[in-house]
Amino acid sequence: MTVRSVASGLVLLLTVACTAQTPPRAEPGPTTAGGSAVCAPPRGAPAPETPTTIDVVEQAYFCILADYYGGATLDARSLLSAGFVAFTQELNRGGRDVPEATMPAFTGDRKRDWAAFETVYRRVVDRLPDDAGLREKLAAATLEAVVAALNDDHARWNHGRRRPPDSYDDDQYGLGLRASAGPQVNVDPGTALPPLFVTAILGGPAKAAGLRPGDVVESIDGSAPFVDGTVTPAAVTALYPQYPEDRPVRLRLLRQSSGRRWTVTLKPGLYQPDPAAVQVVTSKLLGDGVAYVRLSGFAPDVADRSLRAISRMGGGRTLTGVALDLRGNGGGSPDEVNRLLGAFAHDKVTAYQCAADGGCEAMRTDDSVALLGLPLVVLTDRGCASACEHFSSAVKDLRLGRLVGTRTAGAVSGPAQPYLLGDNTLLAFPSRHHLAPGREVIDRVGVAPDYHVPPTPEDAAAGRDPALDKALALLHG
């Protein structure tokens, strides 16, 4: 269960790992009426992408209906309607339109509705000039809209991903900053609260321009990030460009400590981030024997690395508690979650994965892990998503510790399963839905902290951490 964390802002987005060295194609699976393979898991790394076509859209449509956890009860007309709207909008953007581009009447019969959709789609495309680029854009826009119509934070179509030339594994791309609102505002704008301010400088353009944590962003390319307390998603997401986006971004900034206002233009680019800002596990011993461990994600082996860090801090001294900082943790492996939870409780259900028919499979603590026997406080925020919310909800429901900070992201619909499409792109979505140990839904809701301690630009500028201060007070109390 993962979500992608954009280097500068922890946006909630799915990632799929493929580790084989050779690129075998998936074996054919079930077929649609048109002969396209429906759902086939990837076997190794996909071959190079080929142009997306209406046949690939068909494959994805029937794949969703067959294997998505809500596919059996889904009104497929919502997918087709969204796809057709996107199709006509892309026609308009391309300076093309034809009289036949009228959405057919859908009846609710999934196969017949697809046939009607495809018939109109092909009739329209046949009227267009022989422009391969335009045809691919039309199909891609249609497929993106079909997937987006699921309104599921773990449903993604991964395509067209490119790395900047001359980049290395540790390089990042963007403006080199994090702000108090991330690119997830496009999905859930209600999570963003004014003011917008810089929370971390990772490196690159932001560092070179002298930006600091606590700097308030008053405008982005001339647009206010908030209007009457409501976020402007397009403005905020401009802070988190992805390659090959390279348009300069103009910021109007306020440094409250000095009252200085100034404008700076940052051009996205490759940069080597500050290692401390992107390290998966960081730890330090705090006053009175508190082991502080920060996890940026639930990557493989992160549980054992965290426990080894705690063990080292306990060498020769008595630990009084653990402060686990999950702020900005974009998720990762549920197995790592269960393993780390096993250090705080045994024989407990940590979550349920439920099918559309109501049948649920329990996920449990990894009881091979030795219990620490230490009080626990967990720091959370809106950047804590997916597997991070699995951990946080288990801590709260099972009363393993207390949560301090702000509500989590509410992006934990279920573990995403990848499927290989005919153009060698990957479609991924959950086949089961996530419930917390108390069987409550966390997706779209998030996990509320026991102690609400929101961040402020003043604290960021001064290097203060009131949430951590509260955690220490609880552990010392």
Side-chain angles (χ1 to χ4, degrees), residues 294-371:
R294 181 180 180 92
L295 305 183
S296 65
F298 282 95
D301 197 41
V302 77
D304 287 344
R305 290 168 63 186
S306 301
L307 296 173
R308 285 196 296 269
I310 295 171
S311 177
R312 285 194 299 269
M313 286 184 279
R317 61 178 62 86
T318 300
L319 295 179
T320 58
V322 176
L324 191 61
D325 192 344
L326 300 185
R327 292 173 294 185
N329 183 308
S333 165
D335 292 336
E336 292 298 316
V337 169
N338 291 326
R339 186 159 179 79
L340 189 56
L341 285 168
F344 299 96
H346 282 178
D347 195 26
K348 298 293 185 182
V349 172
T350 68
Y352 294 94
Q353 301 300 331
C354 302
D357 62 4
C360 296
E361 178 182 348
M363 305 180 75
R364 294 186 172 276
T365 52
D366 185 338
D367 294 349
S368 68
V369 179
L371 291 170

Side-chain angles (χ1 to χ4, degrees), residues 224-275:
F226 290 89
V227 177
D228 295 331
T230 301
V231 71
T232 308
V236 174
T237 54
L239 296 177
Y240 307 107
Q242 299 180 60
Y243 183 79
E245 299 172 28
D246 62 355
R247 181 178 58 84
V249 180
R250 189 176 76 258
L251 305 180
R252 178 72 174 171
L253 299 162
L254 165 64
R255 185 162 291 165
Q256 292 180 323
S257 59
S258 63
R260 177 193 177 198
R261 278 188 167 87
W262 78 105
T263 299
V264 63
T265 298
L266 305 179
K267 183 173 174 57
L270 272 178
Y271 64 93
Q272 186 71 34
D274 178 359

Side-chain angles (χ1 to χ4, degrees), residues 3-256:
V3 293
R4 175 170 55 117
S5 173
V6 171
S8 53
L10 290 175
V11 61
L12 307 180
L13 181 323
L14 171 75
T15 61
V16 178
C18 297
T19 58
Q21 299 301 309
T22 56
R25 294 290 306 275
E27 294 179 356
T31 59
T32 66
S36 301
V38 180
C39 281
R43 299 181 61 184
E49 292 182 18
T50 59
T52 303
T53 66
I54 185 61
D55 292 326
V56 176
V57 179
E58 177 186 16
Q59 181 185 3
Y61 168 78
F62 284 105
C63 180
I64 290 168
L65 297 182
D67 283 2
Y68 181 59
Y69 77 84
T73 57
L74 183 67
D75 186 346
R77 290 173 291 188
S78 65
L79 306 185
L80 296 177
S81 296
F84 201 88
V85 168
F87 174 60
T88 57
Q89 289 174 343
E90 189 61 36
L91 275 174
N92 190 46
R93 276 191 290 269
R96 304 285 180 179
D97 209 346
V98 297
E100 291 85 353
T102 300
M103 186 162 63
F106 298 130
T107 66
D109 183 303
R110 296 175 169 194
K111 291 183 178 180
R112 290 181 179 178
D113 287 346
W114 171 259
F117 179 98
E118 183 181 13
T119 297
V120 173
Y121 185 102
R122 291 186 183 277
R123 185 181 300 140
V124 170
V125 170
D126 286 346
R127 290 282 304 272
L128 299 176
D130 189 14
D131 183 338
L134 174 60
R135 292 170 185 243
E136 183 170 10
K137 285 182 180 179
L138 289 168
T142 303
L143 181 46
E144 285 176 342
V146 167
V147 176
L150 292 173
N151 194 28
D152 189 303
D153 48 70
H154 279 57
R156 293 288 187 273
W157 177 42
N158 296 314
H159 68 105
R161 301 194 183 281
R162 291 182 284 164
R163 289 182 61 85
D166 303 321
S167 64
Y168 293 90
D169 289 343
D170 293 335
D171 286 345
Q172 295 194 6
Y173 183 87
L175 302 183
L177 60 81
R178 291 183 186 140
S180 55
Q184 68 268 23
V185 294
N186 271 329
V187 178
D188 191 0
T191 64
L193 298 174
L196 180 70
F197 61 94
V198 177
T199 58
I201 300 299
L202 304 178
K207 182 177 181 179
L211 272 65
R212 301 177 189 169
D215 288 344
V216 176
V217 182
E218 295 188 322
S219 73
I220 304 167
D221 290 332
S223 297
F226 290 89
V227 177
D228 295 331
T230 301
V231 71
T232 308
V236 174
T237 54
L239 296 177
Y240 307 107
Q242 299 180 60
Y243 183 79
E245 299 172 28
D246 62 355
R247 181 178 58 84
V249 180
R250 189 176 76 258
L251 305 180
R252 178 72 174 171
L253 299 162
L254 165 64
R255 185 162 291 165
Q256 292 180 323

